[in-house]
C-alpha cells in the first residue's frame, strides 16, 4: 500500500548541509513529495556537539518520519564518528525512528568501527555510501521506513502505477499501458514487485500468493496467472520471456521477481 505523499518528512543532519550531494538528495526527496528539513548551523564555526543539539531539538519539534545522518562531522578527531554519538542519542529517545547513515567509511579500515557502533541498539538503522545516487538514497530510505512508492520501476522498461493499478511498458519517451494486467494478475505482480523493491531477490512464498488464486488447485492457478503476466508484458515489449525471465519459480518455495536486463 502506498503512503500519502504529503505526510512524510525527512530530517537531514550533515555538516556539509549545502553540498552538491545533500542538495541532490533533497531535490530527489522533494520530487517524491517528501518534505525535507535540514539542520543548518547559525554560527560560522560549529562543532559536532552543536549539530547534536540542533538535531535532537528538530526531532522533538518536527517529529520527522525518518532521518538522514552523516557519520563524520568536521575534521577534528573527536568529531570523526560524531554521527554515531548523535545516533545513540536518537535511538535512546526515539527508538522507532528510522535513521539512514551517510558514511564515507562504507569501505576501508574504518568501516567496521562505523557499523559496529549500531550493533548495540535494536533500531531501524542502515548505512549507505555518501556518494550513492539520490535514487539509491531514496530507495534505501523507503525500505528502511517500510513504505512503497506510488510507482515502482522494474528495470528500464517496466513500471507499476500502484495508485491507479496500471502496468506500463516504456519505449523511449512513450509509456504504453498493458491493459491485460488487471484484477488478480495485477495483484500478483504488485505483490512480487513490492517484495522485490523492499528486498531484491526475496522469494514470495506460495502461501502468500494463494490469496490471489481461484479454483481447487491454488498452485496451478498461480502458475497460470504468472504465465499470463509474462506473456502480456512480453507481448508489449516485443520479447518472449522464458522460465528464467521476469518471474522465476523457486522450487517448493514460491516466486521471485527478476527485472529484465
Amino acid at each position: 500500500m502506498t503512503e500519502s505523499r504529503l505526510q512524510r518528512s525527512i530530517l537531514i543532519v550533515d555538516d556539509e548541509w549545502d553540498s552538491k550531494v545533500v542538495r541532490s538528495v533533497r531535490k530527489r526527496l522533494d520530487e517524491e513529495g517528501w518534505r525535507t528539513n535540514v539542520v543548518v548551523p547559525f554560527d560560522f564555526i560549529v562543532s559536532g556537539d552543536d549539530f547534536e543539539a540542533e538535531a535532537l531539538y528538530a526531532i522533538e519539534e518536527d517529529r520527522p518520519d525518518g532521518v538522514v545522518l552523516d557519520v563524520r562531522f568536521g575534521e577534528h578527531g573527536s568529531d570523526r564518528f560524531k554521527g554515531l554519538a548523535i545516533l545513540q542519542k536518537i535511538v535512546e529517545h526515539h527508538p522507532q525512528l528510522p535513521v539512514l547513515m551517510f558514511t564515507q567509511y562504507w569501505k576501508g579500515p574504518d568501516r567496521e568501527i562505523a557499523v559496529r557502533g549500531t550493533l548495540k541498539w535494536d533500531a531501524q538503522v542502515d548505512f549507505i555510501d555518501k556518494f550513492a545516487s539520490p535514487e539509491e538514497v531514496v530507495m534505501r530510505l523507503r525500505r528502511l521506513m517500510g513504505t512503497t512508492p506510488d510507482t515502482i520501476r522494474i528495470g528500464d522498461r517496466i513500471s507499476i502505477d500502484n495508485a491507479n493499478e496500471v502496468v506500463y511498458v516504456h519505449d523511449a519517451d512513450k509509456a504504453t499501458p498493458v491493459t491485460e494486467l488487471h484484477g488478480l494478475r495485477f495483484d500478483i505482480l504488485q505483490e512480487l514487485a513490492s517484495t522485490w523493491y523492499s528486498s531484491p531477490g526475496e522469494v514470495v512464498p506460495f502461501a502468500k500468493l494463494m490469496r490471489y488464486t481461484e479454483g481447487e488447485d491454488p498452485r496451478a492457478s498461480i502458475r497460470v496467472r504468472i504465465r499470463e503476466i509474462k506473456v502480456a508484458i512480453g507481448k508489449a515489449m516485443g520479447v518472449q520471456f522464458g522460465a528464467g525471465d521476469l518471474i522465476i519459480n523457486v522450487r517448493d518455495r514460491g516466486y521471485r521477481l527478476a527485472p529484465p536486463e
Side-chain angles (χ1 to χ4, degrees), residues 155-204:
D156 295 329
R157 297 195 58 194
I158 306 169
S159 68
I160 299 178
D161 182 343
N162 289 307
N164 297 301
E165 298 190 354
V166 180
V167 178
Y168 291 95
V169 165
H170 300 264
D171 187 8
D173 296 328
K174 182 180 180 182
T176 304
V178 185
T179 57
E180 297 95 326
L181 297 185
H182 53 79
L184 294 177
R185 298 185 192 93
F186 178 86
D187 292 339
I188 290 172
L189 181 59
Q190 184 184 49
E191 183 75 57
L192 291 164
S194 296
T195 299
W196 166 79
Y197 181 88
S198 300
S199 181
E202 183 175 340
V203 176
V204 180

Side-chain angles (χ1 to χ4, degrees), residues 14-64:
D14 191 327
D15 60 336
E16 297 178 330
W17 53 272
D18 197 32
S19 67
K20 182 178 179 180
V21 170
V22 174
R23 282 188 277 112
S24 296
V25 170
R26 288 193 69 188
K27 181 175 183 294
R28 189 73 185 94
L29 287 168
D30 290 342
E31 290 171 350
E32 294 246 345
W34 285 353
R35 179 173 58 85
T36 58
N37 181 22
V38 179
V39 172
V40 179
F42 293 99
D43 298 320
F44 180 73
I45 300 177
V46 294
S47 67
D49 290 338
D50 296 316
F51 277 96
E52 178 179 313
E54 290 294 332
L56 296 175
Y57 177 79
I59 291 171
E60 290 289 347
E61 287 294 303
D62 297 337
R63 297 293 178 177

Side-chain angles (χ1 to χ4, degrees), residues 78-89:
S78 60
D79 286 336
R80 190 177 185 188
F81 295 104
K82 183 62 181 180
L84 296 181
I86 297 175
L87 173 65
Q88 184 174 20
K89 291 290 182 65

Side-chain angles (χ1 to χ4, degrees), residues 103-137:
T103 178
Q104 297 180 40
Y105 306 117
W106 186 243
K107 295 181 180 180
D110 290 318
R111 177 185 182 278
E112 291 304 319
I113 297 175
V115 175
R116 192 163 57 242
T118 65
L119 299 182
K120 302 174 185 177
W121 311 307
D122 182 16
Q124 299 179 69
V125 179
D126 194 8
F127 283 78
I128 190 170
D129 188 331
K130 188 169 185 176
F131 299 103
S133 69
E135 291 75 19
E136 177 67 15
V137 173

